[in-house]
Amino acid sequence: MEITGKIIAVLPAQSGVSQRTGNAWKSQDYVIETHETYPKKCCFRIFGEDKINQMNIQLGEEMTVSFDIDCHEYQGRWFNDIRAWAVNRNIQPAPGVGVAPAAGAAPVAAAPVAAPAAAPAATAPFPPTQEPAEESNTDGLPF
C-alpha cells in the first residue's frame, strides 16, 4: 500500500534487545499527512537502524511511503503495525501547499491563478474551465 503526503512529526527512536534472540533492535515512528480535502494522518514505523539511516526521513518532507499493515495480539487486545519498506521523494508539493511567501512580499488577493500551459490535465488541481456552448436561443430567455 502507499500514502502520499508531508511528514508532520518525527517521533523519538526506540531501541532495545530482543529477549528471544539477544540481538539489539531499533525502530522509529513518523506521522504523514495527506493533501486531500479532508487530510488524513497516518503513523508508520521503520524497523532497523540501517533502514532508518538509509531512508533518512526529515520533518516537512513531501514523499510517498510504501508500507505493509500487520496486526498482533497482546493480552487480549489487538494492535495494528504499519511498517514502511520504501520511500519515494520524487513528489512535487501541491500548488500553494506549504509554500511560504517571500519576506516582504505582499499577499495577492483576488488575482486569478492560471495553471501552467505545459501541465497535463491529469496533474492539474482543477479541471480546465470550459466556455458554455453557444445556443441558438432567439427569444432572449436564458433557459
Side-chain angles (χ1 to χ4, degrees), residues 1-5 7 32 42 44-46 51 55 57 63-69 82-89:
M1 299 178 94
E2 289 184 343
I3 188 169
T4 300
I7 300 297
I32 189 167
C42 178
F44 64 93
R45 172 172 295 153
I46 297 178
K51 290 181 185 177
M55 294 183 190
I57 297 174
M63 62 179 50
T64 297
V65 178
S66 300
F67 59 91
D68 291 324
I69 299 176
I82 301 173
R83 286 198 185 180
W85 51 271
V87 295
N88 181 1
R89 289 182 170 84

Side-chain angles (χ1 to χ4, degrees), residues 69-116:
I69 299 176
D70 194 19
C71 187
H72 64 275
E73 184 264 339
Y74 178 73
Q75 296 182 349
R77 296 185 65 191
W78 289 88
F79 300 90
N80 288 324
D81 188 22
I82 301 173
R83 286 198 185 180
W85 51 271
V87 295
N88 181 1
R89 289 182 170 84
N90 296 332
I91 303 302
Q92 296 296 325
V97 177
V99 178
V108 178
V113 177

